Amino acid sequence: MESDVHKEGNAPKNMTNNKTFFITNYYGKGRVFSSIAHPDATPGMIWMIPRMVRWTLNLPLKEYKSEVVNPDIFNREILMSVSDLKQESAYYQTFLYGTPEEKIAALDWLQSKHSWSAKRWVQGLLFDADPKVRVRAAQYIADTHYLHYLPDLKAAYNSEKDPQTKEQLKEQLDKLKISEPLFKTKLYQKSSTFAVVNIITNHAINIRHR
């Protein structure tokens, strides 16, 4: 890691700069893969999770589609300032009480900042009263590869009454489905051999094979 992710506020200094992103090791008969970053929540990098699991289980590595392996989605560092964090929090109220135009503008800003908190707020906008907001929320989820909301996007598509909006939702649904096979790989348990994937929110990912 080349810089300190906490530049403002009361966060400790020098927590991340010159620190290791990924650590791999062997432990007994198994393997350990640890990540201090969050490829599981980074568009274009989610493919790393099944790749980590395969390495840990000593299984053959697979190639993934270019739509999934896309490191160019983020080609610059994004650091949230204190003012950015305040703006991020304010947009939660926008989603509750704002106009359609304000909601769409909020989604544009949050996506440009790759907001960590916004992924918990976008789900409900799939069922907003305004069709443009519904489509923009679907695009947000598809662009950021939030597979957790795939069932919600399917539900929004199935319940949509407006033909044009339904077609637009289908486009975003198909885009999100491209990432779905990443997490449908069948890894069969053999005797005492298995992988444990432990995603620690906001901190790290640890995968161990024992």
Side-chain angles (χ1 to χ4, degrees):
M1 304 177 72
E2 295 181 354
S3 63
D4 198 343
V5 297
H6 297 289
K7 296 186 68 174
E8 299 185 27
N10 297 320
K13 303 294 183 182
N14 300 317
M15 287 184 62
T16 54
N17 46 314
N18 298 318
K19 302 299 192 302
T20 304
F21 255 114
F22 302 125
I23 301 172
T24 63
N25 208 341
Y26 295 87
Y27 185 79
K29 296 180 180 180
R31 295 180 172 191
V32 178
F33 194 116
S34 294
S35 169
I36 194 63
H38 268 278
D40 58 293
T42 306
M45 301 293 186
I46 298 175
W47 61 273
M48 289 184 177
I49 301 301
R51 176 66 62 89
M52 291 174 186
V53 172
R54 286 187 166 275
W55 180 89
T56 307
L57 288 174
N58 200 22
L59 293 173
L61 302 183
K62 286 190 172 184
E63 293 187 6
Y64 302 112
K65 295 180 179 180
S66 58
E67 295 92 342
V68 175
V69 183
N70 191 353
D72 293 330
I73 291 180
F74 294 105
N75 53 19
R76 62 183 177 85
E77 187 175 50
I78 301 174
L79 296 175
M80 295 286 277
S81 65
V82 170
S83 61
D84 286 337
L85 293 172
K86 290 180 180 178
Q87 180 64 75
E88 180 185 51
S89 297
Y91 279 137
Y92 178 75
Q93 298 298 316
T94 300
F95 290 153
L96 292 176
Y97 307 113
T99 65
E101 293 75 19
E102 289 171 338
K103 292 177 183 179
I104 291 172
L107 287 167
D108 291 342
W109 187 92
L110 291 166
Q111 187 170 343
S112 72
K113 295 289 185 178
H114 189 45
S115 166
W116 182 263
S117 298
K119 60 181 176 288
R120 303 194 302 268
W121 307 337
V122 178
Q123 177 186 22
L125 295 178
L126 289 170
F127 306 95
D128 191 86
D130 188 273
K132 291 182 180 179
V133 174
R134 297 198 294 273
V135 171
R136 183 61 184 92
Q139 180 188 353
Y140 189 107
I141 291 169
D143 287 348
T144 49
H145 301 174
Y146 286 143
L147 280 168
H148 183 70
Y149 292 148
L150 180 58
D152 301 278
L153 186 46
K154 287 180 179 178
Y157 168 74
N158 290 331
S159 63
E160 182 59 52
K161 303 301 183 184
D162 178 68
Q164 182 178 357
T165 303
K166 193 177 186 73
E167 182 178 346
Q168 292 174 307
L169 290 177
K170 180 65 163 56
E171 180 181 348
Q172 301 306 322
L173 179 59
D174 290 342
K175 187 162 57 174
L176 184 60
K177 281 182 176 179
I178 292 174
S179 299
E180 189 177 16
L182 288 177
F183 298 96
K184 285 196 170 182
T185 303
K186 294 183 179 179
L187 302 176
Y188 294 97
Q189 179 176 335
K190 294 182 179 179
S191 64
S192 60
T193 302
F194 59 95
V196 179
V197 182
N198 181 21
I199 299 178
I200 308 171
T201 304
N202 295 332
H203 289 86
I205 300 169
N206 294 302
I207 304 172
R208 65 185 186 274
H209 169 209
R210 63 192 185 193

